[in-house]
């Protein structure tokens, strides 16, 4: 919002717009104040205020939310560094993921805690890529008979203190 209180507007126009119910070719998506305000059939070349993106020849579709992702671009959630999460976020954004839950692995208490603390810091600071929505804790509390690829040496009984 500007100082006068008007909403900024973004128009994505002329592309193949994919919605849950139909595909508009061409279509226009109008975004006001960071939220989709309208989806229209046809191409529009101007808006009340703001920017127009010519999406001719492109597909406009909802971004994906990845709720279980350990890593990307040679980085892993368990690296527990801001750089790892930022590179992951940038990679995901380039591939249509708008937000994600970094996922921990079955590891030591210290390793998991370091990853969770890093995720919390990165959520506060924000990202230039996909948004971090929270954390997906995977393990360390598994039934050894159902552990899948989890390292048996790190699996332990659930501990309320932990």
């Amino acid at each position: 919002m500007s100082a006068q209180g008007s909403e900024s507007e973004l128009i994505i126009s002329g592309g193949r717009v994919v919605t849950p119910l139909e595909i508009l070719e061409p279509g226009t998506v109008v975004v006001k104040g960071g939220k989709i305000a309208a989806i229209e059939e046809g191409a529009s070349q101007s808006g009340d205020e703001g920017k127009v993106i010519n999406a001719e020849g492109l597909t406009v579709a909802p971004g994906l939310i990845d709720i279980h992702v350990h890593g990307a671009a040679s980085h892993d959630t368990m690296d527990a560094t801001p750089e790892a999460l930022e590179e992951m976020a940038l990679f995901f954004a380039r591939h249509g993921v708008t937000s994600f839950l970094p996922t921990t692995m079955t590891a030591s208490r210290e390793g998991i805690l370091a990853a969770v603390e890093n995720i919390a810091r990165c959520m506060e600071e924000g990202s230039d890529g996909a948004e971090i929505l929270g954390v997906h804790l995977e393990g360390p509390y598994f039934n050894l008979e159902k552990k899948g690829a989890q390292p048996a040496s790190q699996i332990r009984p659930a501990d309320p203190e932990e």
Side-chain angles (χ1 to χ4, degrees), residues 100-150:
F100 68 108
L101 293 175
T103 304
T104 62
M105 295 178 61
T106 296
S108 68
R109 176 187 169 117
E110 296 75 24
I112 294 171
L113 185 59
V116 170
E117 288 173 343
N118 182 58
I119 292 165
R121 277 191 307 275
C122 290
M123 287 177 68
E124 278 184 23
E125 295 171 8
S127 168
D128 289 332
E131 180 183 3
I132 299 171
L133 297 176
V135 61
H136 175 172
L137 292 169
E138 184 175 52
Y141 315 124
F142 285 100
N143 177 331
L144 280 171
E145 294 174 14
K146 309 280 186 189
K147 70 177 186 62
Q150 304 300 319

Side-chain angles (χ1 to χ4, degrees), residues 34-120:
K35 296 186 182 212
I36 295 174
I39 299 174
E40 304 164 348
E41 191 166 4
S44 173
Q45 297 309 312
S46 65
D48 299 333
E49 308 175 18
K51 179 178 181 180
V52 177
I53 295 174
N54 180 353
E56 189 174 327
L58 301 173
T59 298
V60 181
L64 302 174
I65 299 172
D66 196 331
I67 62 169
H68 183 159
V69 60
H70 291 282
S74 299
H75 297 282
D76 190 282
T77 299
M78 297 304 290
D79 293 347
T81 66
E83 297 79 18
L85 288 182
E86 180 65 16
E87 287 300 318
M88 289 167 58
L90 291 169
F91 175 86
F92 297 141
R94 287 191 301 269
H95 293 87
V97 175
T98 58
S99 51
F100 68 108
L101 293 175
T103 304
T104 62
M105 295 178 61
T106 296
S108 68
R109 176 187 169 117
E110 296 75 24
I112 294 171
L113 185 59
V116 170
E117 288 173 343
N118 182 58
I119 292 165

